[in-house]
Amino acid sequence: MKILMISSEGWPLARSGALADVLVALPRELKARGHEIALAMPYYREIRQNKKITTKPLRVSLEISLGDRKLAADLLEGRTAEDLQIFFIRCDDLYDRPGIYTEKGEPYDDNAARFIFFSKAAVEIARRMTPSPEILHCHDWTAALVPVLVRDQGLPFASVLSIHHLADQGSFDTWDFALTNLPGRYFDLRGVEYFGRLNLLKGGILFADRIVVSSEPYAHQIQTPSLGEGLDVVLREHAHRLSGILGGADYRRWNPATDKLLPARYGPDNLERKTASRDALLAQLQLAPAPRGPVFGMVTRLISAKGFDILMPVLDRLLADDVRLVILGKGDPAYETGLAIAAREFPERLAYRHDYDETLAHLIEGGSDITLIPSRVEPGAFSAMHSLKYGVLPIARAARGVEQIIADYDPSGTWEGPVRPDSESAPPADRGPRHAAAKREAGLSKALPTLGGSGYGFLFYEYGSEPFWDAIKRAREVFENQAEWERLRKRAASLDFSWALAAESYERLYQELVAQSTAAA
């Protein structure tokens, strides 16, 4: 099949979020399965200034209408490290800026125009590709107008919309609808209008042939008022087109056995080499190397949905103990300021870095003992998958997506190894036992070591600072028993959450859509 991925993020942007990770790993796995994959994304300043990226201009210039004005776009072609074709859409008026979505913590006031333009340009690319793509796979609100345009223009493409960040919906003022150049009938309840505003994500949900989120449990959760981010009614109405596909970890990028960004590479059988990364991390960030308390690490966005509203109230308590905490990421200015102040108060125990740094991100994984994932919702738990491979044990809120990845530690339990969420022995209600990990690789049969107790993480169920603190204390107590801690680390590092099974699921979804299109024709 010929598939065009349409996303505002992906290679070669230096991003730590799930969207960028997916847009590297999923196309690579699909290509390995024999499919022809291309990507389309804006040509940002960050890409233009990256000397490692080679592009060539195509003899194609697009003229895109935005309301009553027209803007030109040039196309450039690049190739990823896996030789995937990528189309860069160049319009310097819209994309030649310091940030992708924001600058100095504030969103660009013309983001509606920027990504409506992007969606229109991506559709024009699909129209001109030879051979034509069969599937347009759009990611998040920034590409969610594509299925609407495909339907309005009667184009012969099946469309898939993946939602990675449901809270980010592309909600804009009423007058921004004019930028779409769609007929007025689309600005109503059965179109892109939502509570009097333009809502691009809602439009994508209504008009995409299939909607995908990052796990089956999460697909059910977002149909409830508590987790639907205001779109639960829309999602329930279109639940017959909604699927959950659990993703995977990109082990070409995140694997301590091959990670060239670590001072010493290691695996489950030589975890003692992880100490070199710990020492390098603490030295680089000027944190106290002794006494030997646990190192906590977080590479994440600083927003309430990621649990910072329950982390900040216990931060002083955590740092009063013999711990080191390293946080890499940006987000809500209030959390950024709070962490910066705490870092000055505890200079030998807390290091906060704002701007994403790939080398530091890998060193955090290699040098940490514990990762904090207190997210209110963590549908795909990608960060947990990466951390586990590095022998980093997670403290996490037990949202149902998390529970597909992280098994809670129970010293009295019996460890029987991970269970694939689609296995016939798994309970059908949630496609996986409550405290079972998801074994991702279909061919994984290597027996895991038989160890005492069950699980390899520390879950808390009620969302709040005190339950979170109780889980931290529980992990600290186990850390004091180094023999048990080493057993749990070995167990975690032996798990496999590769993208192979997820790619099979996407392949089946694409094949269903192509078959439906063929039958309809």
Side-chain angles (χ1 to χ4, degrees), residues 91-107:
C91 181
D92 289 347
D93 287 347
L94 299 179
Y95 307 124
D96 185 16
R97 304 182 184 186
I100 305 303
Y101 311 111
T102 65
E103 189 172 336
K104 297 179 180 179
E106 294 296 325

Side-chain angles (χ1 to χ4, degrees), residues 137-165:
H137 191 156
C138 315
H139 296 265
D140 274 345
W141 74 266
T142 51
L145 187 65
V146 168
V148 188
L149 298 171
V150 168
R151 185 73 62 87
D152 179 63
Q153 298 173 30
L155 299 175
F157 310 124
S159 62
V160 177
L161 173 64
S162 279
I163 303 175
H164 305 275
H165 303 294

Side-chain angles (χ1 to χ4, degrees), residues 56-108:
K56 66 176 182 180
L58 299 178
R59 296 180 180 178
V60 177
S61 183
L62 306 177
E63 189 176 68
I64 305 297
S65 295
L66 280 177
D68 58 2
R69 65 174 177 148
K70 294 182 183 293
L71 287 177
D74 295 323
L75 294 186
L76 296 90
E77 182 185 22
R79 292 279 171 174
T80 71
E82 292 79 21
D83 198 36
L84 292 168
Q85 184 181 34
I86 181 165
F87 296 106
F88 292 113
I89 298 166
R90 181 168 189 172
C91 181
D92 289 347
D93 287 347
L94 299 179
Y95 307 124
D96 185 16
R97 304 182 184 186
I100 305 303
Y101 311 111
T102 65
E103 189 172 336
K104 297 179 180 179
E106 294 296 325
Y108 291 117

Side-chain angles (χ1 to χ4, degrees), residues 312 315-316 319 336-347 350:
M312 298 306 288
L315 190 60
D316 284 355
L319 295 174
E336 293 178 2
T337 300
L339 289 175
I341 292 173
R344 288 195 294 269
E345 184 178 354
F346 299 95
L350 170 62

Side-chain angles (χ1 to χ4, degrees), residues 369-373 392-398 402 406-411 454-461 467-468 470-479 484-485 488:
D369 299 297
I370 298 171
T371 185
L372 299 177
I373 312 175
V392 183
L393 303 188
I395 299 173
R397 164 91 193 295
V402 164
I406 302 171
D408 195 28
Y409 172 65
D410 179 358
S454 64
Y456 41 82
F458 304 89
L459 300 179
F460 62 99
Y461 292 86
F468 180 32
D470 289 341
I472 292 173
K473 290 193 297 183
R474 189 157 61 98
R476 287 286 283 112
E477 290 170 359
V478 178
F479 183 83
E484 181 70 357
W485 191 263
L488 297 184

Side-chain angles (χ1 to χ4, degrees), residues 186-223:
Y186 281 91
F187 196 74
D188 68 3
L189 188 63
R190 297 295 174 184
V192 297
E193 180 270 337
Y194 204 53
F195 290 98
R197 294 174 61 84
L198 170 66
N199 190 303
L200 296 176
L201 187 63
K202 184 224 175 185
I205 293 170
L206 263 62
F207 290 96
D209 294 305
R210 291 293 291 271
I211 310 146
V212 180
V213 295
S214 52
S215 73
E216 195 65 37
Y218 186 58
H220 294 286
Q221 288 176 322
I222 60 176
Q223 297 176 50

Side-chain angles (χ1 to χ4, degrees), residues 254-270:
W254 297 100
N255 187 343
T258 57
D259 195 334
K260 296 181 180 179
L261 298 178
L262 299 182
R265 291 184 280 280
Y266 62 89
D269 296 326
N270 55 357

Side-chain angles (χ1 to χ4, degrees), residues 240-443:
H240 60 289
R241 292 186 286 107
L242 176 62
S243 302
I245 298 178
L246 186 65
D250 183 359
Y251 288 139
R252 292 199 187 182
R253 181 183 173 201
W254 297 100
N255 187 343
T258 57
D259 195 334
K260 296 181 180 179
L261 298 178
L262 299 182
R265 291 184 280 280
Y266 62 89
D269 296 326
N270 55 357
L271 283 166
E272 68 280 356
R273 302 188 70 188
K274 185 175 169 65
T275 302
S277 293
R278 178 188 186 274
D279 294 343
L281 176 66
L282 298 184
Q284 177 176 324
L285 299 176
Q286 299 181 317
L287 298 177
R292 178 64 169 89
V295 176
F296 293 79
M298 298 180 74
V299 181
T300 185
R301 292 184 295 156
L302 275 60
I303 57 175
S304 294
K306 292 294 184 180
F308 278 86
D309 55 338
I310 64 173
L311 169 61
M312 298 306 288
V314 302
L315 190 60
D316 284 355
R317 270 188 276 175
L318 177 62
L319 295 174
D321 201 353
D322 173 30
V323 304
R324 314 293 177 267
L325 172 61
V326 181
I327 299 178
L328 173 62
K330 56 187 174 182
D332 190 322
Y335 296 133
E336 293 178 2
T337 300
L339 289 175
I341 292 173
R344 288 195 294 269
E345 184 178 354
F346 299 95
E348 293 188 335
R349 294 184 178 179
L350 170 62
Y352 167 57
R353 297 295 183 268
H354 177 271
D355 294 323
Y356 184 76
D357 181 305
E358 182 79 358
T359 300
L360 179 57
H362 283 251
L363 196 56
I364 290 172
E365 294 288 5
S368 296
D369 299 297
I370 298 171
T371 185
L372 299 177
I373 312 175
S375 309
R376 185 181 298 111
V377 179
E378 189 71 24
F382 292 104
S383 62
M385 296 179 191
H386 300 151
S387 295
L388 289 165
K389 179 58 71 175
Y390 283 73
V392 183
L393 303 188
I395 299 173
R397 164 91 193 295
R400 292 185 73 189
V402 164
E403 287 185 302
Q404 289 190 283
I405 306 302
I406 302 171
D408 195 28
Y409 172 65
D410 179 358
S412 64
T414 301
W415 174 247
E416 298 177 351
V419 177
R420 279 176 44 190
D422 65 338
S423 86
E424 295 180 359
S425 61
D430 60 2
R431 303 186 66 191
R434 188 176 192 195
H435 295 304
K439 185 199 294 179
R440 304 305 301 139
E441 184 122 33

